[in-house]
Amino acid sequence: MSDEVFYLKHENIHIVPTLHYNMEMAAQVCLAFDQIKPDCVAVELAETMQLQLLHAASRLPDISVVTAYDEKQDAIYYLCEPCDAAFEGLRSALENGVPAFCIDLDVDFYPDVREFVPDPYAIQRIGLKNYYDAYEKVVRDAEKSRLDNDREMHMAKRLKELSLSYDKVMFVCGLSHAKNIINLFKKQQFPILKHAQRNIIELSTLTEESARDVLAECGWISTKFEIARSKYKEKKTPIEGVFPPDRQRLIYSLYKDAAESYSTETGNNFSGYNLRNLMKFVRNYSLIHGQLMPDLFKILSAAKGCVEHNYAYYVWLLATEYPYRRNIDGLPESNLTIEQVWKHSKLIRFHLKQPSRKAFKHRHNKSKSQYRFSPPGIFGICSYPKEDVVIERFGDFLKKKGKQILLDESARTIPFSTSLESGIDIRETIRHWYEKKLYVKAQGKPPGNVGSIVVIFEEDRTDDEDRVKEDKYPWHTTWLGEHNQESDMALYATQLGDNVVGPGISRCEYGGFMMSYPPRRMMDVWTDPDYQECRSKSEVLLMSAIDYAVQNIIVYVAPKPPRSFLKSFAQRFGKKVVYIPIGQLSPVMLNKIRVFHVLDGHDKRNIADEYIH
């Protein structure tokens, strides 16, 4: 980022051009104030409300709302929050004992003007000067209304008066007004312009629910800005990576912190690849809308699309939380809506997974301290049948997906002759349009059938070079299918008996598992000397899957592909490993199958429903 502080200087007037309600712009005003060290500060806010606006600025970081009424008695709201350049100017002045003035002409029925300006996040990379130059080239020629001309004339007049009383005046105004005001400042005479009549001007604060909805910069951004500003004020110098805050890093930390709350509250695993997918999604979503960084709606949409609705809800909770609401001076609270303040909004819905409101079975209270899990031996434990059905169906789904991947790889495009084969290939037909021929897709030979499936949620490496300090998944075992509808399974998981949820019922979480068909053939892969050369538990599962597969395809689902050595090992026996990145699968389904329950005897199956939700 550029460390240069930018402002326009004319005589003893220092103008900081900004945009309203933006964190990057507020940071620039904070930096400019400390560099200019002005004798007074003027801002582009209504002069008739100066008393209430200064009071609101003195309450920062608490949120305030200044409410006035126009001729039709419709409410006009001025939202005072930390991430606004004008209020940052007033706040800096008040903190340093410098006179502060609101010098804008108060007008009624000001049009809702929305300029298509470059994304202010660019300031973080190129600095305010280059951003302002880009604005002047792209947006400058927009036609202004009569009200804008009157406002600029009044502000130039007030600046002229302030320049005669103070040696150094700092003025915070909009990008579109800066140069016009400098030109008008040169005039020797100014017309007399009247403010709109304001009979009632009220000062209030926001309720917690309203603060979540109406802040221009969401609570997370405002909170992080306030923390960074406090650190900056202690040192009076920009801090690399801290102030000005980097919005991209703030969004990343938002997703990361929300993931911790999501995992803690729901018990679902949040894989690391989700963060990568989220950041890539919001980047692309922003770019197609002409932005560098996403707004809150896009942040939440990405969370819903890349993970699930429950996670998006925790992102919303964290993103809209604002801890600086204190109201120590006892102002009345206003419960405002987005439409009242900003005139427009977008609705986002969360379809949260919740337990049924009607219980058809009596559920025992989970007082875990009263329960014990004492399996009589490796042949005494058994699985929970309902979970067996789910995981076997998931295995069938992976079989189909693995075969489809091989079919797509073997497909080829040929000119149409006598058959349409699998359909017209539009892309190749357009590419060879000059030949005046149709091209069709021809499927290759059937790839065979799937003999084994390996799913790795998380790896625990066991080699000396990359040994983990604590084995997260210490329990590993091999289970044989009870009938011909079940597969043999080898797995590694969290410790058996650590999380007892009922008498003889233990809740575990897969680190990874392997399923092989047909059942009742597998030996204990964890003690088999043939797999001693494997570097990790996931490699043990994959190598055993290759050995025990009676068909020629092995589907391998994991965060990263297997070593080339294991692919060569499979080829040696005429088999093929089909890799599917785990990020391509539904996180909802993965969370559903990752948790399983172990019973210390078949008799526990009769009561398991009462303790497993």
Side-chain angles (χ1 to χ4, degrees):
M1 176 196 162
S2 174
D3 293 331
E4 180 184 359
V5 175
F6 172 71
Y7 50 86
L8 302 172
K9 187 174 183 301
H10 179 73
E11 296 182 7
N12 62 338
I13 305 295
H14 303 73
I15 300 180
V16 184
T18 63
L19 295 172
H20 297 293
Y21 297 109
N22 177 263
M23 180 189 70
E24 285 80 10
M25 291 296 186
Q28 291 299 313
V29 172
C30 186
L31 293 171
F33 181 90
D34 288 331
Q35 179 166 316
I36 297 170
K37 295 181 174 56
D39 298 316
C40 82
V41 173
V43 298
E44 182 195 330
L45 290 173
E47 190 171 12
T48 55
M49 307 178 198
Q50 177 171 298
L51 182 63
Q52 290 79 10
L53 293 170
L54 286 174
H55 185 177
S58 70
R59 299 181 74 250
L60 287 169
D62 204 342
I63 305 299
S64 308
V65 180
V66 177
T67 307
Y69 299 88
D70 61 20
E71 289 181 356
K72 297 181 179 179
Q73 296 305 305
D74 293 330
I76 304 169
Y77 300 103
Y78 287 79
L79 193 60
C80 175
E81 57 181 89
C83 293
D84 178 72
F87 284 105
E88 173 60 38
L90 295 179
R91 183 183 184 185
S92 295
L94 294 174
E95 288 176 346
N96 290 272
V98 174
F101 302 92
C102 301
I103 65 169
D104 196 2
L105 181 68
D106 197 355
V107 297
D108 271 339
F109 313 120
Y110 187 75
D112 187 13
V113 179
R114 299 188 180 277
E115 293 180 322
F116 293 96
V117 299
D119 192 322
Y121 177 72
I123 297 170
Q124 187 72 25
R125 306 297 181 184
I126 64 175
L128 181 57
K129 181 181 186 306
N130 291 327
Y131 181 88
Y132 180 73
D133 292 340
Y135 172 87
E136 286 290 308
K137 292 178 182 177
V138 176
V139 192
R140 182 65 184 169
D141 295 334
E143 185 176 349
K144 293 193 174 183
S145 66
R146 179 186 61 82
L147 291 178
D148 272 326
N149 293 330
D150 289 347
R151 291 176 56 221
E152 289 171 354
M153 183 69 72
H154 183 79
M155 285 188 280
K157 174 188 174 183
R158 292 288 289 116
L159 281 177
K160 192 82 168 182
E161 295 169 352
L162 292 174
S163 68
L164 300 175
S165 303
Y166 298 94
D167 293 332
K168 194 181 290 186
V169 180
M170 174 178 163
F171 177 46
V172 180
C173 71
L175 291 167
S176 62
H177 302 305
K179 282 200 172 177
N180 287 344
I181 290 175
I182 289 177
N183 293 331
L184 292 171
F185 182 84
K186 301 172 185 177
K187 294 173 65 72
Q188 299 300 319
Q189 293 182 338
F190 296 89
I192 298 175
L193 300 171
K194 293 185 178 180
H195 293 287
Q197 186 69 28
R198 304 293 181 215
N199 296 321
I200 300 175
I201 302 175
E202 302 170 337
L203 182 63
S204 61
T205 187
L206 293 175
T207 62
E208 181 179 357
E209 296 76 12
S210 185
R212 285 186 179 275
D213 289 340
V214 305
L215 290 185
E217 291 282 20
C218 67
W220 177 265
I221 298 294
S222 297
T223 300
K224 296 302 181 182
F225 173 79
E226 186 63 28
I227 294 171
R229 184 183 185 276
S230 298
K231 293 179 180 178
Y232 163 73
K233 287 298 182 181
E234 291 176 3
K235 295 188 175 182
K236 292 293 184 181
T237 182
I239 307 171
E240 183 67 28
V242 177
F243 193 87
D246 189 321
R247 188 181 295 266
Q248 186 176 30
R249 293 182 181 180
L250 297 185
I251 293 171
Y252 179 80
S253 64
L254 169 64
Y255 281 138
K256 196 171 182 180
D257 288 3
E260 294 180 5
S261 300
Y262 167 73
S263 298
T264 302
E265 296 296 329
T266 65
N268 294 335
N269 184 63
F270 187 89
S271 302
Y273 61 79
N274 283 330
L275 287 173
R276 180 180 67 250
N277 293 343
L278 283 164
M279 295 305 291
K280 185 175 181 180
F281 186 99
V282 292
R283 179 200 66 188
N284 295 340
Y285 194 5
S286 301
L287 289 176
I288 63 175
H289 287 86
Q291 297 173 290
L292 296 176
M293 286 293 115
D295 53 29
L296 181 59
F297 181 83
K298 295 181 178 63
I299 290 171
L300 298 177
S301 298
K304 284 175 59 177
C306 294
V307 188
E308 62 160 333
H309 287 245
N310 282 61
Y311 172 68
Y313 176 72
Y314 286 106
V315 174
W316 175 80
L317 279 179
L318 199 57
T320 57
E321 182 182 5
Y322 188 69
Y324 293 102
R325 283 183 59 261
R326 299 190 178 111
N327 196 19
I328 58 175
D329 47 356
L331 290 182
E333 292 189 342
S334 297
N335 190 22
L336 302 178
T337 64
I338 301 176
E339 288 75 15
Q340 286 177 291
V341 179
W342 303 111
K343 310 301 183 186
H344 66 283
S345 66
K346 289 183 179 179
L347 182 65
I348 188 164
R349 297 183 184 275
F350 303 117
H351 302 287
L352 304 181
K353 293 185 178 65
Q354 297 176 346
S356 174
R357 293 181 297 176
K358 295 180 174 59
F360 297 99
K361 278 192 176 183
H362 173 67
R363 299 290 184 183
H364 287 272
N365 182 25
K366 293 186 179 181
S367 179
K368 298 183 181 180
S369 61
Q370 301 176 7
Y371 303 143
R372 295 292 182 267
F373 184 87
S374 304
I378 60 172
F379 298 106
I381 60 175
C382 63
S383 59
Y384 180 48
K386 291 184 179 180
E387 293 175 343
D388 294 340
V389 173
V390 172
I391 203 164
E392 292 295 340
R393 286 177 178 172
F394 183 66
D396 293 339
F397 162 74
L398 291 180
K399 288 181 186 179
K400 295 177 182 178
K401 187 173 182 66
K403 291 175 65 175
Q404 187 61 46
I405 289 174
L406 290 179
L407 278 174
D408 292 342
E409 288 178 354
S410 63
R412 66 190 191 281
T413 301
I414 60 175
F416 168 74
S417 56
T418 58
S419 172
L420 288 177
E421 298 287 346
S422 298
I424 298 174
D425 190 328
I426 301 297
R427 181 179 296 177
E428 286 300 317
T429 299
I430 295 174
R431 185 177 296 169
H432 296 83
W433 189 254
Y434 62 92
E435 298 178 4
K436 305 298 182 182
K437 292 181 180 179
L438 288 177
Y439 279 76
V440 296
K441 291 181 179 179
Q443 293 285 3
K445 295 181 179 179
N449 292 313
V450 176
S452 298
I453 289 171
V454 181
V455 178
I456 304 299
F457 296 98
E458 188 175 347
E459 293 195 32
D460 273 358
R461 301 190 64 85
T462 58
D463 58 314
D464 292 333
E465 295 180 1
D466 193 14
R467 186 181 299 277
V468 292
K469 294 181 180 179
E470 182 180 354
D471 196 347
K472 186 177 178 181
Y473 304 103
W475 183 52
H476 38 77
T477 190
T478 302
W479 277 355
L480 300 180
E482 297 184 30
H483 49 77
N484 60 4
Q485 300 298 317
E486 288 187 352
S487 58
D488 289 342
M489 175 181 281
L491 60 94
Y492 63 94
T494 53
Q495 184 59 51
L496 182 65
D498 276 359
N499 189 1
V500 179
V501 298
I505 303 172
S506 178
R507 183 183 187 272
C508 299
E509 182 179 303
Y510 289 117
F513 64 81
M514 181 269 284
M515 303 167 67
S516 186
Y517 312 88
R520 309 193 72 81
R521 299 177 299 112
M522 193 180 297
M523 298 175 61
D524 184 19
V525 303
W526 303 107
T527 58
D528 194 326
D530 288 343
Y531 308 130
Q532 288 182 351
E533 60 186 304
C534 296
R535 295 180 180 177
S536 63
K537 295 174 185 176
S538 60
E539 291 193 356
V540 172
L541 293 181
L542 180 54
M543 186 172 283
S544 60
I546 295 169
D547 279 342
Y548 285 100
V550 296
Q551 302 292 341
N552 64 330
I553 299 174
I554 294 89
V555 176
Y556 183 70
V557 179
K560 58 183 180 181
R563 285 194 295 152
S564 57
F565 161 74
L566 289 165
K567 293 182 179 180
S568 301
F569 178 78
Q571 290 175 355
R572 197 182 310 164
F573 299 98
K575 298 173 183 177
K576 183 177 180 63
V577 177
V578 178
Y579 170 63
I580 301 176
I582 197 169
Q584 291 185 3
L585 304 181
S586 165
V588 177
M589 174 57 71
L590 292 175
N591 288 329
K592 184 177 181 180
I593 68 170
R594 186 168 188 180
V595 174
F596 67 105
H597 295 81
V598 182
L599 317 181
D600 67 4
H602 285 75
D603 59 310
K604 299 301 188 299
R605 287 179 170 173
N606 297 326
I607 63 170
D609 283 349
E610 300 176 7
Y611 299 93
I612 299 174
H613 294 259

